[in-house]
Amino acid sequence: MNERLGHPSGLAADPTRVSISVVSHGHAGLVASLLADIADRIRTPIEVILTMNLPEALPFDPARFAFPLRIVENPAPRGFAANQNAAFRVSRGGFYCVLNPDIRIERDPFPELLKCLRDPAAGVAAPLIRSPAGAIEDNARRFPTPLSILRKALLRRTEVDYPIGDESIHPDWVAGMFMVFPREVFRALGGFDERYFLYYEDVNLCARLMLAGKQVVLCTAAFAVHDARRQSQSSLRYMRWHLSSMTRYFVFWAARLAWRGTPRKRRGD
């Protein structure tokens, strides 16, 4: 594993700092736009760990950014969970943020997200996610079941699982495109399950958080824009990964939940 430091940091561990982990799979152009957003609009103390999962040239000078930027070059591609866990191990912040390269930032979401994480019961927080056209995306969802997946596939249902208002909500899980964890929560949980190469790592992790007595929080006062790059619907390889992860999730949790009961009782049930 090769590393390049785009900015000399010399930072000690900082409980107020957010460590942002971004993984590029040949998406250097999207990464350049995201880093420009971060530089222009985020005032919260941060560092960025950029993992290059595939060889590619960077269309920017890493040294030009004012925030600490660590670049990790993988000798061979790794799965989502393995990349995020590796980035966490070299991070220094008191909070750990998983961020997709196709996210765009219009204003600093971290003050509101960290405010949501002040609740000691909170295990992970996510902002409201909008499409480039402004529509609310379904990054806050109920745990999937075989029936719900079948219904979605047959009916092409696109409605969000939870009504969105002004107040933060506690969904079953939030999508891995943008998640923020208190450092000690992520550490205690052991990070993402690396047996999932791609897909369902976020579902699995949120279920494990709930079994540990922690809550998932969607902070509706914070938002980001998702310029989606969905590949599982058009690539057989991505579809196989999706189906494999789905199967692993259902087989494991069917046995686990049969013994333990549901991860938690939903509020209002």
Side-chain angles (χ1 to χ4, degrees):
M1 181 184 297
N2 297 322
E3 296 185 13
R4 287 182 281 152
L5 295 180
H7 187 275
S9 57
L11 295 172
D14 184 349
T16 67
R17 186 173 299 272
V18 178
S19 298
I20 301 174
S21 171
V22 181
V23 180
S24 179
H25 308 271
H27 299 139
L30 289 172
V31 171
S33 297
L34 174 59
L35 293 181
D37 286 352
I38 290 172
D40 291 343
R41 293 162 185 160
I42 290 183
R43 297 295 174 262
T44 302
I46 62 161
E47 65 172 351
V48 176
I49 301 103
L50 171 59
T51 303
M52 313 300 291
N53 207 35
L54 298 173
E56 58 181 318
L58 294 176
F60 55 84
D61 177 4
R64 76 178 179 88
F65 296 107
F67 53 81
L69 172 60
R70 178 187 296 269
I71 298 177
V72 179
E73 297 174 332
N74 285 345
R78 307 174 76 181
F80 176 91
N83 276 319
Q84 294 299 342
N85 290 348
F88 176 76
R89 288 192 290 270
V90 300
S91 67
R92 296 183 175 95
F95 300 90
Y96 183 64
C97 173
V98 174
L99 193 60
N100 271 16
D102 57 2
I103 291 292
R104 300 303 306 270
I105 305 296
E106 295 185 358
R107 71 181 187 206
D108 190 347
F110 290 113
E112 294 295 338
L113 290 168
L114 300 191
K115 186 185 300 183
C116 286
L117 289 173
R118 289 176 189 165
D119 183 347
V124 63
L128 190 68
I129 298 293
R130 296 186 179 275
S131 72
I136 295 175
E137 293 202 352
D138 60 340
N139 69 310
R141 308 173 190 175
R142 298 190 184 277
F143 285 126
T145 65
L147 182 60
S148 69
I149 291 172
L150 181 62
R151 184 186 302 118
K152 183 176 181 179
L154 293 177
L155 301 180
R156 301 290 181 179
R157 186 172 63 85
T158 58
E159 296 88 353
V160 296
D161 283 353
Y162 293 89
I164 303 298
D166 294 332
E167 299 296 322
S168 295
I169 63 172
H170 297 279
D172 285 346
W173 66 283
V174 289
M177 67 183 78
F178 197 147
M179 309 171 85
V180 184
F181 304 86
R183 182 177 192 84
E184 291 309 314
V185 170
F186 193 86
R187 186 201 302 276
L189 201 64
F192 289 99
D193 187 337
E194 296 186 17
R195 292 173 296 179
Y196 293 81
F197 185 81
L198 191 63
Y199 303 112
Y200 274 73
E201 306 93 334
D202 41 14
V203 190
N204 173 275
L205 184 141
C206 289
R208 288 160 52 213
L209 276 173
M210 289 185 182
L211 286 174
K214 294 293 185 178
Q215 293 180 336
V216 176
V217 187
L218 180 74
C219 301
T220 55
F223 78 94
V225 176
H226 184 212
D227 184 12
R229 294 291 191 270
R230 304 183 191 276
Q231 292 179 283
S232 62
Q233 297 175 1
S234 58
S235 166
L236 290 178
R237 180 178 59 172
Y238 281 81
M239 181 63 76
R240 284 196 298 269
W241 284 334
H242 204 154
L243 292 175
S244 173
S245 294
M246 186 189 305
T247 301
R248 177 179 294 278
Y249 172 82
F250 284 129
V251 169
F252 178 79
W253 286 103
R256 183 71 178 266
L257 299 181
W259 176 63
R260 291 286 301 268
T262 54
R264 69 178 171 92
K265 184 178 180 181
R266 293 192 185 102
R267 294 184 176 188
D269 285 359

